[in-house]
Amino acid sequence: MPRLLVIIMKVLFLTSNKNKVIEANQTLSKLGYEVEQFLIEGVAPKIVEPQSSKIEIVSEYKIQQALELISGTDFESHALLVEDSGLFIKSLNDFPGVYSSYFSETIGNQGILKLLLNEESRDAEYRAFSIMYSDGKYFHALGKCLGRISNEIKGSNGFGYDPIFIPNSGDGRTFGEMEDYEKESKSHRGESLRILYDKLSLPSK
Ligand code: IMP
């Protein structure tokens, strides 16, 4: 009986957010990739983020830093992944956007609900811009997830703004109330990684 040789390709994800690594693995592992957090001596290297209001520009900086970090190391042949993402709330002029991480850690989900108390529109979207570097080539992908901000915090799955974000493609539950696989099938990150994968050729078998 002929044996099928499946080649698993390792991808190093430069991020300090372990949840992103888990989510990237959910999408890319089905496609023959094994995503690992990029660590140096067990620690995620610090990424310097530029002053920019665009996730695309922040991601470009991240991939350049990742390339500098692996240059001359044993990991030079590995594929690299970076991503910048955020929550963009319409009635707040796209706040917190690229500053999502900072505001999630400071004012948190309660703070966002407070800011929206007198706003009619609760429309929002998550965006993720991923860049993969593989075999000397760059692959870019923007994923979006349209939705709205809930009236209260619901659920404890996911991370960050998930307990207050209700995707339009769902059944009214927040991402915080969904199983990982449900979020992955609807999320901005899932979409951007699927687009990335479509741009990459299938790994040889
Ligand atoms: P980054 O690491 O600079 O890209 O920060 C992204 C921030 O946006 C995160 O720290 C979260 O606050 C928020 N964010 C992005 N994607 C998600 C998500 O899938 N769920 C919840 N919060 C998210």
Side-chain angles (χ1 to χ4, degrees), residues 47-54 57-62 65 98-99:
I47 308 166
V48 183
E49 293 202 8
Q51 290 289 313
S52 169
S53 58
K54 290 195 180 313
I57 292 176
V58 177
S59 294
E60 292 288 355
Y61 269 77
K62 287 182 179 176
Q65 287 175 59
V98 286
Y99 309 107

Side-chain angles (χ1 to χ4, degrees), residues 15-17 20 23 49 58 62 83-87 97-98 100-102 104-105 126-127 158-162 175 183 187-189:
T15 177
S16 57
N17 186 334
K20 286 187 179 182
E23 290 190 11
E49 293 202 8
V58 177
K62 287 182 179 176
E83 180 233 68
D84 200 66
S85 52
L87 176 70
V98 286
S100 291
S101 174
Y102 176 77
S104 181
E105 283 160 22
Y126 270 138
R127 292 178 207 152
F159 66 98
Y161 302 103
D162 284 342
F175 271 154
K183 178 183 174 187
S187 83
H188 50 313
R189 185 159 302 103

